[in-house]
Amino acid sequence: MNALGRVTVAMEDYLKAAYRLRDEAGPVTTQALAAELGVSAPSVTNMVKRLHGLGLVHHERYRGVELTDTGEQVALEIVRHHRLLELYLVEALGFPWDEAHVEADRLEHHVSAKLEARLEAALGHPTRDPHGDPIPSWEGTIPEAQDVPLLKLEPGVRAVIARVSDRDPERLRYLGSLGLYPGVAVAVLEKLPFEGPIRIGVDGAEHAIGRALAAAIRVADRGVGP
């Protein structure tokens, strides 16, 4: 997928960050990239100029950063490596799902085509990582997400957890302790007013979680009977 010899590890990080931010929040600003990568705004500006010069992003002042088709393919290659590694770390090596993300970040830039193919075959050609995020195909395609935030469910509606954000290991660990994993059925029992917590049912147990915590969970297959 990535045939651009001039693309550095740092560039790959920027492209992956731009892809992730667009996937989660829409238009990508240089300020959002700086916050995502933990770097200064001038550093982002300089890198974006380099990426623009290589034809990997489009950038116009006040209009944000957009991946070109080539830039998106590079980003998807790194995302694919990352999610395959996460799944291998969890399923084959027994890593907790809250630790796999950081380890995969360290390894994702160093996966050869041969290792990538071996990982995919060993895992049975998976389509989702341990957190429910879709794994891009070898050709660089990814299915359009059909899930919605848990917060959108009305009281009395059940659904199946599709994805859980892996951004915060502590939060991920806590959600796991409540049994909130992809593939698990969850029901919204009550939404307390004035931005209060929501009460949910999971595997016969009830929990109250804050809305910020609930925002980390996305669900699909709505309409299952309570």
Side-chain angles (χ1 to χ4, degrees):
M1 289 163 56
N2 177 5
L4 294 173
R6 290 181 291 171
V7 177
T8 66
V9 167
M11 290 176 179
E12 289 176 346
D13 282 336
Y14 271 82
L15 294 170
K16 186 182 79 164
Y19 176 84
R20 180 164 184 161
L21 287 168
R22 187 196 67 187
D23 185 46
E24 294 179 353
V28 179
T29 65
T30 53
Q31 293 91 337
L33 276 172
E36 175 77 6
L37 293 164
V39 298
S40 68
S43 294
V44 172
T45 299
N46 290 335
M47 179 59 85
V48 167
K49 286 179 180 177
R50 293 175 65 190
L51 294 171
H52 182 90
L54 288 173
L56 298 172
V57 303
H58 290 304
H59 178 239
E60 294 182 30
R61 197 172 183 183
Y62 308 122
R63 296 190 63 180
V65 178
E66 295 180 6
L67 293 168
T68 64
D69 289 345
T70 303
E72 182 159 338
Q73 287 300 301
V74 176
L76 284 169
E77 180 180 26
I78 302 304
V79 169
R80 174 176 161 83
H81 292 174
H82 182 96
R83 293 177 179 174
L84 283 170
L85 285 165
E86 282 187 327
L87 192 60
Y88 188 79
L89 288 165
V90 171
E91 291 198 354
L93 302 183
F95 271 75
W97 77 329
D98 53 278
E99 295 180 12
H101 178 72
V102 173
E103 292 295 334
D105 267 343
R106 297 188 179 111
L107 299 168
E108 64 193 16
H109 302 286
H110 310 290
V111 176
S112 67
K114 178 183 274 189
L115 177 56
E116 181 182 343
R118 291 284 184 92
L119 284 171
E120 183 178 42
L123 291 166
H125 303 278
T127 58
R128 298 268 170 177
D129 75 5
H131 313 105
D133 288 316
I135 298 172
S137 71
W138 179 266
E139 296 79 17
T141 61
I142 194 165
E144 185 176 346
Q146 302 294 323
D147 49 51
V148 298
L150 175 66
L151 286 169
K152 283 188 176 281
L153 293 189
E154 293 300 322
V157 175
R158 287 187 69 192
V160 174
I161 296 174
R163 293 194 279 170
V164 181
S165 172
D166 60 3
R167 283 186 171 274
D168 184 332
E170 280 192 39
R171 180 179 63 190
L172 201 55
R173 194 176 307 121
Y174 179 69
L175 291 172
S177 75
L178 301 181
L180 294 167
Y181 292 99
V184 171
V186 60
V188 172
L189 305 177
E190 182 182 18
K191 290 182 178 180
L192 294 175
F194 306 110
E195 296 301 309
I198 67 172
R199 196 162 56 86
I200 59 173
V202 185
D203 197 22
E206 292 186 14
H207 306 287
I209 61 174
R211 298 196 178 213
L213 195 60
I217 302 168
R218 298 183 69 87
V219 297
D221 297 330
R222 291 167 289 164
V224 180

